[in-house]
Each structure stands twice: as C-alpha cells, then as structure tokens.
C-alpha cells in the first residue's frame, strides 16, 4: 500500500513538474527520459537475459538518422518515419543477433563494440547523412494538429512513452515468454530441456532492446531538431551500460534511477572537475569508471535494491486464481514401449562414457538405472533427453527416432526430466519455476504478453503449476524464492516442474538425494501414483532401499557398459553385480 | 596501382599487423588465464608511447603518479588482507614492491634529467613505469571478483578502459606526440624504400613472440600460466595460485602493450585515446582465432593490418568501417562452424 502511494507520488510529481520547474531542469529531465528508454532495453537484455551490448547508442543513431534523413530530404511525415526506423533497427538487430548469439555470451558484446564503432564512422563519412556536421532543420512533431515544440511539451511526450514502455516491459516479464527470458540467466540447458527455444528468446530480447533505443533516437532527433554522429558513439553506448549497472540491472525502475544518477552526476562533474583539475576535458569518465568498478565489487545488483531496502514491501499473499485445467496429452497404453535405446555409444574424445548401451522403458513402470559413480548414468540421461546426443546408436521415443533432435523438440514429444545438479532460478518463486515446466502448454507470444491479452492462458498455466506443486506436497512453499528451500525440497520442485510439462516419460536424476526419511517416503508414494496413472519413469538413484522398493526393473551400469538387467531381486542376486557394485558392502556403507 | 604502391602499402600493413598480432597474443593470453576480455589492452600502448615521449621531452610522465597511487592502493589492500590473516611477515615485502620501488623510480627520475638519458634507458624506464600498472589493475579491479561471470568481468574491463582514457587525457593532454626514431636507416629494394624503423618493428615483434614462446615452454611461471589457462581448478589443486597467475598474465599483457607503444611511437602520432582503436584491431585478430589459438590470432591480426593499409589507400574515409565490419563475416563463419558448448556460469 505504502509503495503504491510512493508510486502515485512519483507520477504526480512527474505530471506537475513542468508547471514549476525551470527550463534547465526540464531539459535535463527530457534527457533522463530519453536515456532511460535505452537503459530499459538494457535492463531487459543484461539484467534479465544475462546478455549485454555496448552498441545501443548505434541503434539510437539509426532511429535519429532515419527520421532526420527522411523528413528533411524526402519530406516524409515524422510519424511515418518511426515505423521505418523501427523496421531498419529490427533488421540490423536480428542479423547481429543471428550471427553472435549462437556462440558464447561474450561474442554479442564484442560484436556490438565493433558494430558501434563502424556505424559511428559510417554516419560521419556518408555524404547524404551530412558527414560529421550532421543534418539540420528536422521538423517538429505534431500531435493531433498541435506542434510539440517546446521542451515542456516534449517532456510529456517523452515521459508518457517511457512509462508506457516500463508498463509493457513489466507485463512482458510477468508472462510465459518473460519466464523463458528470465530462464536464460540460469544457462540455456534447463530452459531448452523445458522446451524453451533459447536462441529465439535471446534474439527477441536483443531486438526489443534495440527497438527501445531506436524509439529514443527518433524522439531525440525531433527534440533537438538536428543530429550529428557524436551522441551515437561507442562511448555513449558504454555510458548506457553504466546507467543500467549503477541503477540496478535487474529492475525496470533501475533504468530510470541509473539514467537519472549518471546524467545528473555527469552534469555536475563536467562543471566541477575541469575547475578542480585546471584543465578542460571529459574527466567525468574517470569517476564513472571507478564508480562502476566500486558498484560491481560492492553492490552488484546496483542502487535500486539498496533503495528498496529503505521501503520494505509488506508481505502480500498472492493467490493463484482458479482456472480451467489445461488440455492433457493422451497417455500411451499401459505396458507399451515408450523409450527404446539401442546400442548407444557416447564418446568424449578418447573416453567412452557409454558403450553399446541398450534399455527400454514402458508406460506404467519404473525403470531404475543404477551403478557406481562415474558409470555413465547421467551421460545416458543427457543422450536420451537430447542435451548431448549419442555418438552412435539409436534412441527411439514413442517409436520415433529422436537421437538427432534438440532437447526442446524431444521435450515437446512428451519427455521431461530433472537434473542431478538442481537447476532452478533461485530468485524466482517456486510457482514461477514450476510454471517454466508448462512452457510448451501455452502458445501466446511476447506481443500478447506486452498487451496483456494472454491473461486467461497465463492463469491456466499458473493454475497448472500450482496443482503440480500441491501434488508434490510443496503447497506451503509456493510463493517462496526457490533458492531459499533446502536442497532436498529443491529436487522436489524440479519434479513438479517436470510434471507441469504433462510428460508421458519422466527422467529423474537422483531425486532422493538429500531427502529425509519421511520426504523419501512421500516421494516414493508420488512416483507410485504416477506409475499407476500410466506414466513411464526412468530413475537414476544411489539409495538402494529406495530403488529396490520402487523399481519394476533395474539396469546396472559399470564403466559405461550394461552389467546386468532384470527384476530388482534378480539383480540383487546377480554375482557380477554383487562382485562389481554391491560386493564391497563394507566400503560402501553409504549406499 | 603499381608495384611500388603495393610494396609501400604492404610494408605499412605488415608493420601495423605485427603490432596487432602482439596485442592479439596478449588478449588471448589474458582471456585464457583469467577469462577477462581485456578491453584496456590498447591503453597500455598509448601509455607506453606517451610515457616515452614525455621522458624525451624532459617531463615527468603522469604514469609515474598513477604507478605510485595504484601501488599505495594495492599495498593498502594487501596489508589489510595480511592483517586479517595474521601474515605480518609479508608486510615489508608488500610495502617494498608496491610503494618502495615506485618511489625509488620517482626519486631517480627527479635526480637525473630524463631527456638526456640514452634511448635504451628511456625505454627501460618507460617499461618499468607502465608494466607494473597491469598487475596492480588486476589486483584492484579484477581479483576481488575473479570468480564472476565473463560478462561481469567484461563490464569491469570497459569501466577500467574508460577510467584509463580519462587519466590518459589528464596526464598527457589532448595533443598527440611522436618519439625520436630508433634508427634512420633505410634500404633500397628496386624502386621501393624499406624503412629501417619498419624492419625494427617486425623484428622486435618476432623477438618478443619467440621470447614469449620460450617463457611458456621453458620457465616454471610460464608453465604455471599455461596450466591455469587449460584448467583453472586443476591448476589451483596443483598449488598454482590463481591470483598469481592473474597478476602475471596482466603484467605480460601490459609489457606487450607498452612495448608495442614504444615500437610504433616513432612512426605514428599517438594520442591519449589512440590505444583503444589499436587494441580493438588486435581484438579482431584475436576473435578470428576464437580467443583460443595463438597462431590463428596472429595471422588474423596481420590480415587486419594489411586490410587497413589497403583500404586507407582506396577509401581512406571508410578505413575504420571496413576494418570493423570485417568482424561480421568472421563472426558469421565462426557461428556457423562452431558448436557452442554451454559454460557453467
């Protein structure tokens, strides 16, 4: 409630500001608003998506130069140049994203540095863009027949657009696609296994960030009424990143805070430093650089979270609304073969991690894959789920060969998994983490999310996530941050997330590790119920009591090979297994 | 275009290519050992060149004050660490290296008139001032967050770069400068003239590359760096300090940078911010080598040098555009041929 009041006060101050503030302050606020738009895109890209770009100023330049050129040379109406500028920006961003985003995370920033530099020199050397002197005489904007000419009038336009962008950005993040984007930071492995097309998600955030920058540039050109290359140089691109890091890369309001702090600080330092040092020059960059290092060392999340600490939010209890259940997949007949692995071999260089492995899993059974540490069980899991494909051999899922498919295509066919090393997004709530599992069960995209026309589907997805959480016995933790749960419970969250995908085959990698006795018993109950419903379960586990009490069949692996296969009691009597695996009972008390 | 121009441009291109190759090697080294993308590499080129030219002009270079300031900050950080860990015996050494040596250097420079010193001594003094700055920057800016993601370290790099640019302006002013040539020899090959200075740059670069090769192959510190580059955790388990490896690699990068600066200072006018573009061209070379392969990075850097010199002949206004657009086909090629394996961040 109090935070609502603060927000209201902020908006009221924004609305009334121009009536009382002097011209100079209005100009400053206009620039803060324009910079904040660019910074907002960077929040999405850097703070949320875990990518970054130093070339945002170049996108601002595209927005400004497109409208400057079209309005002055061809007399096009400014409102028609906006879609043109956005289209050019989108094309460039898609291309740059396509060539850099498939590689390691640092190729995008390096690519954007190079692109920022070459675009700057291009602006400065192309004759029809006016060279380094630039283009003058850009017409003013007119809105509903009124000319938006003065700084005060522009102020309302800039801040209205900025607040609209903040709103749509928040909407976007609080949605199915938003969760997919937020999942990028946790590494693409988990997101892909949940069916998220991670290259697409990365390209979307990069393009959206570029479009925000372009809009800012378009406004800038009509505010200034002239453009030259200087404000679109790489150093300005770096300054945008500073704003975001200082303000708080993970928060939409951090963009506005950062833009404000850096812009005002710059103004102030440009006044004072030359006097202090007795020379003229851009010495504020020294302070910015040091400030940035300090922030990254001491307050990596930026200033916004520090500010929030002064106004702690009251604990509100969100509630998941009732919604229609999602459509479920028809499960294959009980006893039919779901998964068939034939002669699968996986090599890492000279190391053979899986050697000629074969196994089957049927609907309505629990198949346990056991073996000492390093036997190749997790490698087998990764091969089956498409994370790291087999070197030779075949994997059939529901009769179809899937060894060449990506993890997300396999997920789409009804296979879902958990990870041995828990891969949750620690800062997100349990509910949101589990909802990532239901990603493939929704289809509304980010445009729907930005305009909030996907609320019905979103409610269904969250409702489904809540059902799975309750089913796994974690209802009381639903709104807690996933990272605050003990490790054993985090494993159960992983199972709930896998179940939210409505799979017919569930791959569980050591689900009972770290669980207490009663929790283990509850987990066993849950898996029995799933089996009864007709799901196939492939289980890797070290807890022999747990495995032997639950599994219908067991495959034993050692040194990447299959050592034995059969009913639990057969395997337990198998001399080779006893010799190689259970043989050293004395040394292996732990099992 | 006749043969003479081709020879001239080729000469130019290979000279700058040799410098870019040195810088590319330093970038690959630093990235492999510390995962830092060392954007400020170019600033060491400018600092090397401008420090030497300050000495030749008989002025005390600003880098000296930077060395003393950073040394004091490092001493403060290291001593407070030593106090917390009850390692008081280290304090005298920390003080000697970080405060004593810079002050001795300052005392020496104040006592003699640097402009009258023989050129090799000036070069040695320049390196003595600039090279330790590399290790100090690692200690202060990177070591406290050495485990952070590549992205975070990259942002720190950009912050260091920006701060050093500002300091460069403060120390050396906005005017560019050149240093006295090391040699005024020239050779006549057919119609073309081969400048002795050009030969010197190429030969010195080669010597440095060979020296680095022996350093990595034959010395225990070189091997420790290679081990860290191959497997950080493994190297640490073998008792190789990650902090030491980091400081060492930054010191080498600073050495390579400052040395390159000294080499090109007589040929090109260097401004306080010239280093950035020079460093980035080394980067384009390093990226051609995928930030992993030394020979490919060096070859890529030579290619960048040649491309630059030929494009400055045909379309001088678009020289930078052409060089930095080269990165696009390179990235495209790399992204289509390499299968990216996810790193755990």
């Amino acid at each position: 409630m109090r935070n609502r009041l603060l927000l209201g006060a902020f908006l009221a101050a924004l609305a009334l500001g121009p009536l009382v503030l002097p011209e100079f302050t209005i100009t400053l606020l206009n620039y803060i608003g324009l910079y904040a738009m660019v910074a907002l895109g960077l929040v999405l890209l850097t703070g949320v998506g875990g990518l970054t770009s130093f070339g945002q100023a170049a996108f601002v330049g595209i927005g400004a130069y497109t409208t400057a050129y079209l309005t002055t040379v061809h007399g096009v109406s400014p409102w028609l140049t906006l879609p043109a500028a956005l289209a050019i920006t989108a094309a460039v961003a898609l291309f740059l994203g396509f060539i850099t985003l498939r590689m390691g995370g640092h190729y995008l920033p390096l690519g954007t540095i190079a692109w920022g530099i070459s675009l700057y020199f291009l602006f400065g050397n192309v004759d029809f863009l006016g060279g380094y002197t630039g283009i003058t005489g850009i017409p003013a904007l007119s809105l509903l027949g009124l000319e938006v000419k003065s700084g005060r009038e522009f102020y309302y336009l800039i801040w209205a657009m900025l607040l609209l962008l903040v709103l749509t950005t928040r909407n976007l993040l609080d949605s199915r696609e938003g969760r997919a984007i937020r999942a990028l930071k946790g590494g693409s492995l988990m997101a892909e296994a949940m069916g998220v097309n991670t290259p697409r998600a990365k390209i979307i955030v990069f393009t959206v960030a570029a479009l925000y920058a372009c809009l800012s540039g378009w406004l800038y050109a009509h505010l200034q009424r002239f453009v030259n290359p200087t404000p679109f140089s790489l150093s300005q691109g770096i300054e945008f990143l500073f704003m975001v890091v200082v303000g708080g890369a993970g928060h939409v309001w951090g963009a506005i805070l950062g833009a404000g702090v850096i812009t005002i600080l710059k103004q102030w330092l440009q006044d004072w430093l030359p006097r202090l040092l007795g020379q003229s020059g851009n010495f504020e960059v020294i302070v910015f650089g040091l400030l940035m290092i300090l922030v990254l060392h001491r307050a990596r999340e930026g200033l916004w979270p520090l500010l929030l600490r002064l106004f702690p939010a009251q604990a509100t209890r969100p509630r998941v609304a009732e919604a229609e259940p999602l459509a479920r997949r028809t499960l294959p007949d009980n006893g039919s073969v779901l998964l068939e692995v034939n002669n699968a071999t996986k090599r890492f260089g000279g190391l053979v991690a899986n050697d000629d492995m074969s196994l089957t899993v049927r609907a309505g059974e629990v198949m346990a894959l056991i073996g000492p540490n390093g036997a190749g069980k997790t490698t087998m899991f990764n091969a089956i789920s498409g994370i790291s494909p087999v070197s030779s051999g075949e994997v059939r899922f529901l009769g179809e060969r899937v060894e060449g498919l990506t993890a997300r295509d396999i997920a789409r066919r009804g296979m879902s998994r958990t990870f041995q090393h828990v891969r949750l997004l620690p800062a997100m709530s349990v509910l949101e983490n589990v909802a990532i599992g239901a990603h493939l069960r929704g289809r509304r995209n980010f445009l729907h999310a930005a305009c909030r026309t996907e609320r019905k589907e979103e409610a269904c997805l969250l409702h489904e996530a809540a059902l799975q959480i309750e089913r796994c016995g974690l209802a009381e933790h639903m709104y807690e941050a996933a990272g605050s749960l003990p490790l054993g419970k985090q494993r159960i969250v992983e199972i709930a997330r896998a179940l939210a995908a409505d799979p017919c085959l569930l791959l569980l990698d050591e689900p009972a590790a770290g669980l207490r006795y009663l929790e283990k018993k509850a987990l066993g109950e849950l898996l029995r119920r799933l089996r009864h419903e007709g799901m196939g379960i492939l289980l890797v586990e070290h807890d022999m009591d747990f495995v032997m009490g639950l599994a219908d069949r067991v495959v034993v692996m050692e040194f990447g090979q299959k050592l034995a296969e059969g009913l639990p009691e057969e395997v337990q009597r198998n001399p080779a297994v006893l010799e190689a695996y259970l043989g050293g009972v004395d040394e292996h008390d732990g099992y | 275009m006749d043969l003479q121009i081709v020879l001239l441009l080729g000469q130019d291109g290979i000279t700058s290519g040799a410098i870019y190759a040195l810088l590319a090697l330093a970038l690959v080294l630093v990235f492999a050992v510390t995962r830092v993308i060392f954007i400020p590499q170019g600033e060491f080129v400018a600092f090397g060149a401008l420090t030497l030219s300050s000495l030749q002009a008989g002025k005390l270079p600003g880098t000296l004050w930077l060395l003393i300031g950073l040394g004091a900050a490092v001493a403060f950080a290291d001593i407070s660490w030593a106090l917390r860990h009850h390692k008081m015996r280290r304090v005298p050494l920390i003080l000697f290296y970080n405060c004593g040596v810079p002050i001795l250097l300052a005392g020496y420079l104040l006592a003699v008139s640097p402009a009258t010193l023989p050129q090799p001594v000036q070069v040695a003094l320049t390196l003595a001032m600039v090279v330790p700055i590399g290790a100090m920057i690692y200690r202060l800016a990177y070591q406290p967050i050495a485990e952070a993601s590549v992205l975070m370290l990259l942002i720190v790099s950009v912050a260091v770069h920006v701060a050093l640019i500002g300091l460069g302006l403060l120390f050396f002013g906005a005017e560019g400068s050149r240093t006295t040539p090391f040699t005024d020899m020239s050779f006549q090959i057919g119609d073309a003239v081969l400048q002795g200075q050009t030969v010197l740059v190429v030969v010195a670069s080669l010597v440095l590359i060979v020296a680095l090769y022996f350093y990595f192959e034959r010395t225990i510190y070189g091997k420790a760096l290679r081990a860290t580059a191959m497997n950080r955790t493994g190297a640490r388990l073998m008792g190789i300090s990650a902090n030491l490896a980091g400081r060492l690699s930054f010191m080498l990068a600073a050495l390579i940078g400052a040395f390159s600066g000294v080499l090109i200072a007589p040929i090109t006018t260097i401004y306080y911010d010239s280093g950035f573009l020079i460093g980035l061209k080394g980067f384009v070379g390093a990226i051609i080598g995928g930030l992993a392969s030394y020979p490919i990075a060096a070859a890529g850097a030579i290619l960048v040098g040649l491309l630059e010199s030929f494009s400055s002949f045909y379309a001088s206004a678009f020289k930078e555009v052409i060089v930095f657009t080269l990165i696009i086909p390179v990235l495209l090629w790399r992204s289509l041929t390499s299968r990216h394996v996810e790193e755990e961040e």
Side-chain angles (χ1 to χ4, degrees):
Chain A
M1 194 58 208
R2 197 170 62 166
N3 288 357
R4 283 257 168 95
L5 279 179
L6 282 172
L7 182 65
F10 173 68
L11 292 179
L14 271 183
L16 299 176
L19 304 179
V20 289
L21 291 171
E23 197 63 39
F24 174 77
T25 316
I26 296 293
T27 309
L28 205 60
L29 282 170
N30 279 346
Y31 280 104
I32 292 175
L34 289 176
Y35 295 155
M37 273 180 205
V38 187
L40 187 62
L42 273 179
V43 163
L44 205 54
L45 188 65
T46 305
V48 182
L51 304 162
T52 204
S53 155
F54 296 103
Q56 295 310 97
F59 290 118
V60 180
I62 292 188
Y65 266 98
T66 307
T67 190
Y69 174 72
L70 289 179
T71 50
T72 55
V73 177
H74 296 289
V76 181
S77 147
W79 294 104
L80 290 177
T81 63
L82 182 58
L86 292 174
I88 296 173
T89 303
V92 173
L94 287 173
F95 176 71
L96 279 179
F98 173 76
I99 64 172
T100 55
L101 286 173
R102 294 157 46 117
M103 294 183 290
H106 49 277
Y107 279 95
L108 179 69
L110 290 180
T112 54
I113 287 180
W115 131 259
I117 291 179
S118 53
L119 199 79
Y120 170 75
F121 283 107
L122 202 63
F123 284 146
N125 285 298
V126 175
D127 288 330
F128 69 86
L129 295 180
Y132 287 104
T133 41
I135 301 176
T136 50
I138 302 169
L141 286 179
S142 60
L143 196 63
L144 309 169
L146 295 170
E147 284 223 314
V148 187
K149 253 184 159 167
S150 76
R152 280 172 212 275
E153 290 155 0
F154 233 97
Y155 170 93
Y156 285 107
L157 184 62
I158 289 175
W159 282 88
M161 283 198 174
L162 176 61
L163 291 175
L164 193 68
L165 285 187
V166 168
L167 188 70
T168 46
T169 308
R170 286 181 61 134
N171 289 349
L172 170 59
L173 288 177
D174 176 33
S175 74
R176 166 177 171 270
E177 291 259 20
R179 280 188 294 274
I181 291 168
R182 285 188 278 165
L184 291 176
K185 248 193 158 174
S188 50
L189 219 58
M190 180 277 285
E192 284 278 323
M194 293 303 130
V196 175
N197 186 339
T198 54
R200 177 174 171 273
K202 287 178 186 174
I203 288 185
I204 286 176
V205 279
F206 181 55
T207 310
V208 169
L211 292 176
Y212 287 7
C214 170
L215 177 65
S216 165
W218 179 82
L219 283 166
Y220 171 86
H222 290 288
L223 171 69
Q224 282 279 323
R225 313 282 292 277
F226 96 99
V227 292
N228 72 354
T230 318
F232 315 123
S233 66
L234 184 65
S235 48
Q236 185 62 45
I238 291 173
E239 219 168 282
F240 287 134
L241 193 70
F242 282 10
M243 292 175 187
V244 171
V245 171
V246 170
H251 308 266
V252 288
W253 296 111
I256 298 179
L257 178 67
V261 168
I262 294 283
T263 310
I264 293 169
L265 193 64
K266 184 173 180 176
Q267 192 71 39
W268 192 73
L269 288 172
Q270 276 180 341
D271 260 8
W272 280 96
L273 278 182
R275 279 191 234 171
L276 206 67
L277 298 168
Q279 297 185 41
S280 61
N282 298 330
F283 298 116
E284 73 277 2
V285 291
I286 305 175
V287 180
F288 283 177
L290 298 180
L291 174 70
M292 184 81 164
I293 296 171
L294 192 73
V295 166
L296 288 172
H297 283 191
R298 294 296 159 90
R300 222 176 264 186
E301 300 295 311
L303 299 180
W304 182 254
L306 299 183
L307 205 65
L308 274 192
R309 250 186 255 164
L310 300 178
F311 305 100
Q314 291 96 332
T316 45
R317 271 214 85 75
R319 268 181 48 81
V320 175
E322 282 300 315
E324 289 169 38
L326 290 170
R328 295 207 52 189
R329 167 190 327 271
T330 34
L331 289 177
D333 294 332
N334 223 339
S336 63
V337 175
L338 295 175
L339 177 76
E340 208 180 341
V341 180
N342 293 320
N343 312 102
T345 297
K346 175 71 185 178
R347 290 186 195 87
F348 293 108
L351 177 81
V352 185
N354 284 160
D355 187 6
D356 206 24
M357 274 295 297
S358 300
L359 59 85
T360 55
V361 182
R362 292 167 196 282
E365 75 167 354
V366 174
M367 165 65 115
L369 187 58
I370 63 171
N373 285 325
K377 305 179 297 287
T378 296
T379 308
M380 186 84 258
F381 256 47
N382 287 345
I384 294 170
S385 58
I387 280 169
S388 159
V390 289
S391 313
S392 67
E394 62 168 26
V395 180
R396 278 177 187 276
F397 181 50
L398 299 173
E400 181 189 6
R401 288 186 68 158
V402 295
E403 71 270 9
L405 296 183
T406 58
R408 61 172 183 274
D409 283 329
I410 296 177
R412 188 179 290 281
R413 284 163 173 74
M415 189 192 298
S416 198
R417 66 167 292 175
T418 66
F419 291 91
Q420 184 186 356
H421 301 288
V422 172
R423 285 172 186 270
L424 296 172
L425 296 158
M428 271 162 67
S429 70
V430 169
L431 181 70
E432 287 184 298
N433 267 290
V434 173
I436 293 174
H439 183 79
L440 287 172
R441 300 173 77 182
R443 22 198 96 272
R444 295 298 173 121
N445 65 25
F446 63 101
L447 288 177
H448 295 119
C451 316
R452 294 256 130 164
T453 53
E454 38 62 273
R455 285 295 97 184
K456 211 174 136 209
E457 181 186 277
E458 174 73 2
C460 295
L461 291 176
L462 289 179
H463 182 63
E464 170 72 15
L467 281 183
Q468 297 302 345
I469 293 170
E470 279 160 19
R471 191 183 194 185
C472 294
L474 290 175
E476 81 242 54
H477 300 297
M478 200 169 310
Y479 304 105
E480 289 168 28
S484 67
L485 264 51
L487 193 62
K489 288 200 168 150
Q490 293 191 21
R491 288 187 186 284
I492 306 295
V493 176
E494 286 232 329
I495 297 176
R497 184 178 66 196
L499 287 176
D502 185 30
C504 60
L505 176 66
L506 195 58
L507 271 53
L508 302 178
D509 203 346
E510 300 197 19
L515 293 194
R516 279 176 274 191
Y517 176 70
L518 284 176
E519 292 169 335
K520 261 182 208 170
K521 235 176 113 178
L523 175 64
E525 279 309 311
L526 172 68
L527 297 186
R528 277 189 195 93
R529 217 158 52 233
L530 293 173
R531 167 171 68 189
H532 181 72
E533 288 168 18
M535 199 177 290
I537 297 172
L538 180 59
L539 176 77
V540 164
E541 189 46 71
H542 279 306
D543 184 324
M544 282 307 134
D545 288 338
F546 185 78
V547 169
M548 294 306 173
L550 184 71
D552 300 294
R553 290 187 304 137
V554 177
V555 166
V556 187
M557 280 183 84
E558 196 193 27
F559 300 126
Q561 291 172 328
K562 180 151 73 177
L563 192 65
E565 180 173 7
L567 302 173
E569 49 273 26
E570 287 171 8
V571 168
Q572 278 171 304
R573 284 198 304 270
N574 185 317
V577 176
L578 288 174
E579 165 81 22
Y581 183 58
L582 301 171
V585 171
D586 293 329
E587 294 97 352
H588 291 273
D589 281 334
Y591 297 127
Chain B
M1 164 187 277
D2 55 20
L3 189 66
Q4 204 179 342
I5 297 177
V6 172
L7 281 177
L8 197 71
L9 291 178
Q11 211 183 100
D12 252 22
I14 288 180
T15 318
S16 18
I19 297 296
Y20 300 154
L22 280 178
L23 298 178
L25 295 186
L27 290 165
V28 174
L29 168 73
V30 167
F31 183 72
V33 175
T34 61
R35 298 177 307 131
V36 170
I37 296 180
F38 197 41
I39 305 278
Q41 176 72 57
E43 270 65 73
F44 287 93
V45 178
F47 278 16
L50 294 170
T51 304
L52 181 61
S53 94
S54 295
L55 287 179
Q56 291 182 348
K59 286 185 274 187
L60 274 188
T63 24
L64 181 64
W65 311 127
L66 181 61
L67 180 70
I68 292 173
L70 287 176
V74 170
F76 178 76
D78 276 354
I79 288 175
S80 49
W81 179 87
L83 287 179
R84 267 190 315 238
H85 292 81
H86 305 288
K87 301 209 165 137
M88 295 302 293
R89 276 195 310 190
R90 294 198 186 182
V91 171
L93 264 186
I94 293 172
L95 279 174
F96 175 70
Y97 279 122
N98 295 301
C99 301
V101 174
I103 288 171
L104 286 177
L105 204 58
Y108 176 71
L109 282 172
L110 284 171
V112 299
S113 66
T116 59
L117 291 169
Q119 214 171 2
V121 179
Q122 290 172 339
V123 171
L125 284 172
T126 300
L127 295 182
M129 273 183 275
V130 179
V131 174
I133 290 176
M136 290 171 176
I137 286 179
Y138 179 78
R139 171 63 187 90
L140 294 172
Y142 297 93
Q143 190 174 308
I145 55 161
E147 297 306 317
S149 65
V150 174
L151 187 69
M152 194 72 85
L153 293 170
L154 173 63
I155 297 177
V156 172
S157 276
V158 170
V160 172
H161 151 72
V162 164
L164 287 181
I165 286 272
L167 288 170
L169 177 62
L170 183 64
F171 295 154
F172 304 110
E175 316 84 57
S177 37
R178 278 191 195 215
T179 57
T180 336
F182 293 102
T183 163
D184 46 12
M185 272 195 296
S186 64
F187 311 93
Q188 193 77 24
I189 302 178
D191 286 340
V193 181
L194 186 59
Q195 296 295 338
Q197 189 67 38
T198 309
V199 180
L200 186 73
V201 170
V202 175
V203 171
S205 309
L206 281 177
V207 168
L208 186 55
I209 289 172
V210 171
L212 284 173
Y213 173 80
F214 279 106
Y215 178 75
F216 286 119
E217 287 294 318
R218 295 291 154 82
T219 67
I220 189 78
Y221 285 106
K223 286 180 186 171
L225 279 184
R226 269 177 39 207
T228 315
M230 268 177 230
N231 185 336
R232 237 181 313 280
T233 319
R236 189 181 286 178
L237 290 175
M238 292 299 108
I240 299 172
S241 150
N243 293 343
L244 176 73
R247 288 189 192 196
L248 206 53
S249 63
F250 269 65
M251 200 137 100
L252 280 175
L255 171 71
I256 293 172
F259 189 73
S260 311
V262 167
L263 281 179
I264 53 163
I267 316 175
T268 344
T269 309
I270 299 286
Y271 299 84
Y272 73 99
D273 62 350
S274 302
F276 183 50
L277 283 188
I278 298 176
L280 278 184
K281 284 169 192 163
F283 242 115
V284 179
I287 289 175
I288 294 177
L291 286 175
S293 158
Y294 293 94
I296 301 179
I302 304 265
L303 180 73
V304 172
L306 287 171
L307 186 76
E308 180 186 35
S309 93
F310 280 88
S311 55
S312 66
F313 180 75
Y314 283 110
S316 72
F318 294 99
K319 185 180 84 175
E320 313 292 1
V321 180
I322 292 171
V323 170
F324 286 107
T325 314
L326 173 70
I327 206 176
I328 303 270
V330 170
L331 286 173
L332 185 62
W333 164 65
R334 290 213 75 88
S335 92
L336 292 178
T337 53
S338 69
R339 195 190 143 89
H340 170 56
V341 184
E342 176 165 350
E343 56 186 320
E344 288 271 337
E345 297 249 55

